[in-house]
Amino acid sequence: MKAWENNIRKVTPYTPGEQPQKAGIIKLNTNENPYPPSPRLAQLLKEMNSKDLRLYPNPAASSLVDALAAYHGLNADQVFVGVGSDDVLALAFLTFFHSSKPILFPDITYSFYDVWADLFQIPYETPALQEDFSILPEDYYRENGGVIFPNPNAPTGIAMGLNAIRNILDHNQDVVVIVDEAYVDFGAESALALIDQYENLLVVRTFSKSRSLAGLRIGYAMGNPLLIKYLSDVKFSFNSYTMNQPSLYLGSRAIEDEAYFQETLRKIVNTREWAKRELRELGFEFTDSKANFIFVRHPSHPAKELFQALRQAGIYVRHFDRERISDYLRITIGSQEEMETLIRFLKNNLSS
């Protein structure tokens, strides 16, 4: 090692899902929405004034914050926005997890959590999920420096009810508890109903999944005004202009088309439940996902072999070569047509 490397912070980075550039593939590996954003956004793009791009965006992201606050029935000082929920979560780690005690998150969960903990030198412990991959609230009753978990969890898709979340909050009133709701719109109960009861609760969401806007990079957090102030103080210590003009403009208008939003959610949920029935007939086992993906295994066919066979056929799914879940595949819910193609391939592959 060269001398100048001794003082460099070294971490193992997060590995995102593969983004293949080949045409004609079926991409079911990164939990993107198979449907386009609201058609209204195409017209709004045409109406955008390119002259505005020479100016810095509003540092407080007021147009988007105000729109989100109105949508969720909150005050503007209860909302924080960032460049995707990953940006929001990273800032939340840096802001709220500043203790010598370990933070807690599940052993099988979003794999960015341990990356941020290592990057910011935050001690952490990972209580093991139960055999059925559910979170046991009692595992989070012990002394800690903060708690974070997704609901529904990823990559399992299992959702916790509000009573279980409330139990975790009741036993952790001296630390910040973050509920990562990237997939909540697909069938889970939101912890947003609890933020007025628990001043230490932060709820984080994204436009990337249910709102079909992964390309705009919009994430946001909701909590009591003091939490939002602390989060904003850290943000402004890094970069005052995190949100770009197009994201602010389009993001604040995207939430206006509620009918389209609900229609795409309905289609994804219907396709998910159809896919579960088809996969069950093929002998697959899976958790009861409330997200826009299914976490599956086949007792007779190794996941890695299925992953490679699917990939060769131009169907990309996600395989995690990790302890406890190496026999599982995470399959994003695509369009009905894409999922029918997947099922046909599996029927032919398994029978041969």
Side-chain angles (χ1 to χ4, degrees):
M1 181 179 292
K2 299 177 180 66
W4 53 264
E5 290 185 87
N6 292 332
N7 296 320
I8 291 177
R9 190 185 302 276
K10 303 174 186 69
V11 294
T12 302
Y14 170 75
T15 303
E18 189 175 0
Q19 295 286 357
Q21 302 302 310
K22 295 183 291 186
I25 66 160
I26 295 178
K27 190 170 180 290
L28 306 176
N29 66 326
T30 51
N31 297 342
E32 292 151 326
N33 197 310
Y35 302 105
S38 166
R40 295 183 187 180
L41 294 194
Q43 182 60 37
L44 290 172
L45 273 172
K46 295 178 182 178
E47 296 172 1
M48 280 188 63
N49 188 345
S50 62
K51 292 180 181 179
D52 290 342
L53 298 182
R54 70 180 181 84
L55 303 172
Y56 283 111
N58 180 296
S62 299
S63 60
L64 181 56
V65 166
D66 290 344
L68 286 167
Y71 181 81
H72 289 292
L74 303 173
N75 297 321
D77 61 1
Q78 293 178 283
V79 179
F80 174 91
V81 299
V83 186
S85 61
D86 287 340
D87 177 50
V88 175
L89 288 166
L91 288 171
F93 266 63
L94 192 57
T95 304
F96 302 120
F97 297 157
H98 190 54
S99 167
S100 59
K101 300 173 186 177
I103 64 170
L104 303 178
F105 51 83
D107 66 330
I108 300 170
T109 192
Y110 186 30
S111 53
F112 227 141
Y113 295 163
D114 58 348
V115 173
W116 288 318
D118 288 336
L119 177 63
F120 301 135
Q121 300 181 350
I122 302 167
Y124 65 93
E125 294 177 0
T126 55
L129 296 180
Q130 299 186 84
E131 283 298 311
D132 64 356
F133 291 138
S134 62
I135 292 174
L136 182 66
E138 289 82 354
D139 286 339
Y140 297 83
Y141 292 0
R142 60 182 188 244
E143 192 173 20
N144 63 74
V147 174
I148 181 169
F149 55 88
N151 194 45
N153 195 12
T156 65
I158 296 176
M160 268 201 300
L162 282 187
N163 285 337
I165 295 174
R166 188 180 283 108
N167 287 340
I168 291 175
L169 285 160
D170 285 339
H171 287 83
N172 289 280
Q173 296 189 39
D174 58 342
V175 298
V176 173
V177 176
I178 301 174
V179 182
D180 181 355
E181 293 190 343
Y183 302 100
V184 73
D185 291 322
F186 299 105
E189 290 183 281
S190 174
L192 188 60
L194 305 178
I195 64 170
D196 289 333
Q197 302 170 40
Y198 298 92
E199 64 181 11
N200 60 325
L201 169 63
L202 192 76
V203 176
V204 177
R205 292 197 187 174
T206 178
F207 277 41
S208 297
K209 314 301 182 185
S210 58
R211 294 198 176 275
S212 307
L213 288 170
L216 279 187
R217 312 307 302 128
I218 298 175
Y220 61 107
M222 296 170 286
N224 87 69
L226 189 57
L227 285 183
I228 300 304
K229 177 189 179 302
Y230 286 137
L231 198 52
S232 297
D233 288 346
V234 170
K235 168 201 166 180
F236 287 124
S237 299
F238 272 92
N239 185 350
S240 297
Y241 305 105
T242 55
M243 299 295 294
N244 64 66
Q245 295 278 30
S247 292
L248 291 175
Y249 178 63
L250 296 174
S252 61
R253 303 296 297 275
I255 57 178
E256 295 175 359
D257 196 347
E258 183 69 11
Y260 181 83
F261 174 59
Q262 294 298 333
E263 174 63 16
T264 56
L265 287 180
R266 184 190 64 78
K267 289 194 287 189
I268 290 170
V269 169
N270 287 347
T271 299
R272 180 188 70 201
E273 297 308 307
W274 172 86
K276 286 180 181 178
R277 293 191 294 271
E278 295 292 321
L279 289 166
R280 189 176 290 113
E281 288 186 9
L282 291 173
F284 282 91
E285 301 168 353
F286 44 84
T287 59
D288 184 21
S289 174
K290 298 300 181 183
N292 68 333
F293 56 82
I294 309 176
F295 196 52
V296 308
R297 69 178 293 273
H298 197 288
S300 303
H301 299 272
K304 194 167 186 178
E305 292 181 9
L306 286 173
F307 168 78
Q308 292 171 341
L310 285 162
R311 195 174 187 278
Q312 289 174 0
I315 303 173
Y316 283 66
V317 298
R318 193 82 188 265
H319 177 246
F320 300 92
D321 193 12
R322 294 173 49 196
E323 188 177 357
R324 293 189 70 190
I325 60 172
S326 60
D327 229 11
Y328 284 79
L329 297 174
R330 191 194 69 190
I331 303 172
T332 300
I333 302 302
S335 66
Q336 183 69 26
E337 181 182 6
E338 289 174 325
M339 298 305 288
E340 289 173 0
T341 301
L342 168 76
I343 295 299
R344 279 196 302 272
F345 174 84
L346 289 173
K347 284 180 179 178
N348 294 332
N349 184 273
L350 296 180
S351 63
S352 62

